[in-house]
Amino acid sequence: MKAPSQSGDGGRSPQADRAAEASPDQTRHQIVGPLMVVPGTVSDAERARARRIFEATFGAAGPAEPKEAAPEDSNIDVGEGKEKRVKLDPLLADALAKVGYRRVAKLAYRAERSTDDVEHVLSFDTYGTPNVYLRGDAGLRNRETEQFVSSRREQYQPALVTRTLRSTGYRFPPWFCAMHFSLGAIAEWGIQSSVDTTLFSPDELARKVQEAVQGKLAPYVGDITTTAKLLEFLERDEEPMRWFRIGGYARAAYIAYLAAKLGRDPSETRRVLVKYGARIVDMIDQTRLTLDTFIEELLGDAEAAVQANSKQPGQ
């Protein structure tokens, strides 16, 4: 798939002008707050590596502030005039229902094409000062694999990341997808792959999201409905699901578990993970693991977890 194009300076939109005037803290969620309150001394190198891990895990969003200073509610009002303003969540729920998605939580929507093997989930949030920029994530998940990834996270990720999440009281949302990418990136929404909601009426904003889902997202991932197709998708390195954006422990664990579930020879899975080793090793606990020991341990864990799950009732 072609990479999203980057627009030049000519004919810059009001959205671009506003974003250009904003500080970095205003144009994206910075993973800074928690790293400042983690107990103990944190070196600049550790802090930088933790930030890379957060952004690979959450994208641009995530536990951006300590829990004492919760981020603004993303279910903002959209539209001009008191009578014409509507809440974002019901607006998106109605718009996405027309293109095959059903609301499952606030600003989270599940595709009707989802199967027992692969769920397709859209989630949205807003950011900025003022809080008017809309961005979306498209996620793919296999519930059994997602549980495996979550259960081993503290075992493999650096201790600083674990301490950071604990210090903020962060909890992964019920519909969080470890494997996700930016909807705005493939729809070419521009600055920070987001939309300035003040530039659109509610109907216009709804159509813009529908067009992104139907015209860009569905052709890209619509046919990923089986375990085998999900594994094949994750083993590629193409826009917008590049390994340097979404990789590290979680993607390696997803691949290891899905491959074990399909009965693939571990040597083939090892070959794939070694290929992306540079994108993995920086995001694991290097005080205990090398790339080789991580892969060996992960493959063994995945095989054992698949066998254990296969013995459970209903499997």
Side-chain angles (χ1 to χ4, degrees), residues 6-275:
Q6 301 296 322
S7 58
D9 292 336
R12 193 161 63 179
S13 68
Q15 178 187 10
D17 290 334
R18 181 183 296 177
E21 294 170 358
S23 69
D25 282 346
Q26 293 172 327
T27 56
R28 67 184 301 180
H29 287 302
Q30 294 290 318
I31 312 300
V32 173
L35 296 179
M36 297 300 185
V37 300
V38 173
T41 302
V42 179
S43 69
D44 289 343
E46 287 179 306
R47 197 183 307 279
R49 190 156 76 96
R51 184 175 290 110
R52 290 195 297 273
I53 293 170
F54 276 123
E55 293 190 354
T57 302
F58 301 103
E65 300 291 341
K67 61 182 178 181
E68 293 80 14
E72 290 186 72
D73 185 4
S74 288
N75 189 23
I76 61 173
D77 291 319
V78 179
E80 296 293 337
K82 187 174 181 180
E83 294 79 12
K84 296 181 180 180
R85 295 181 73 79
V86 297
K87 285 291 186 182
L88 180 62
D89 185 29
L91 175 69
L92 292 180
D94 181 65
L96 291 170
K98 297 173 182 176
V99 292
Y101 282 78
R102 292 292 177 265
R103 182 184 185 276
V104 292
K106 185 170 72 172
L107 296 174
Y109 315 89
R110 181 180 185 270
E112 293 176 347
R113 65 172 172 269
S114 298
T115 65
D116 290 342
D117 287 338
V118 183
E119 290 183 296
H120 293 243
V121 179
L122 283 172
S123 59
F124 294 85
D125 76 330
T126 59
Y127 71 99
T129 306
N131 182 33
V132 297
Y133 294 98
L134 173 70
R135 62 187 165 198
D137 263 358
L140 300 170
R141 71 177 196 168
N142 172 276
R143 291 198 179 202
E144 194 176 295
T145 310
E146 199 83 23
Q147 290 172 356
F148 172 74
V149 171
S150 177
S151 68
R152 303 303 196 280
R153 195 179 298 277
E154 292 189 9
Q155 177 180 339
Y156 291 113
Q157 68 188 5
L160 175 59
V161 174
T162 299
R163 297 202 311 271
T164 299
L165 292 175
R166 287 177 177 173
S167 71
T168 62
Y170 184 80
R171 296 292 182 270
F172 287 89
W175 290 92
F176 176 78
C177 297
M179 298 296 99
H180 61 91
F181 55 89
S182 169
L183 175 65
I186 63 172
E188 302 181 13
W189 279 355
I191 300 297
Q192 297 294 332
S193 300
S194 63
V195 171
D196 183 346
T197 60
T198 65
L199 301 180
F200 301 90
S201 70
D203 287 345
E204 290 170 339
L205 183 62
R207 283 195 296 272
K208 190 169 187 66
V209 172
Q210 288 173 332
E211 289 167 0
V213 171
Q214 285 186 305
K216 300 292 185 177
L217 180 62
Y220 186 64
V221 299
D223 68 339
I224 301 176
T225 55
T226 66
T227 301
K229 286 185 176 181
L230 179 58
L231 177 61
E232 179 186 359
F233 175 73
L234 295 179
E235 289 182 338
R236 298 200 298 264
D237 185 24
E238 300 175 359
E239 292 287 3
M241 195 71 176
R242 296 294 306 277
W243 269 79
F244 73 86
R245 292 199 188 97
I246 298 294
Y249 154 70
R251 192 163 181 173
Y254 238 93
I255 288 171
Y257 190 91
L258 292 175
K261 190 174 178 65
L262 290 170
R264 191 169 72 180
D265 190 313
S267 64
E268 176 63 17
T269 306
R270 183 182 298 106
R271 183 191 65 78
V272 172
L273 297 182
V274 168
K275 176 182 177 181

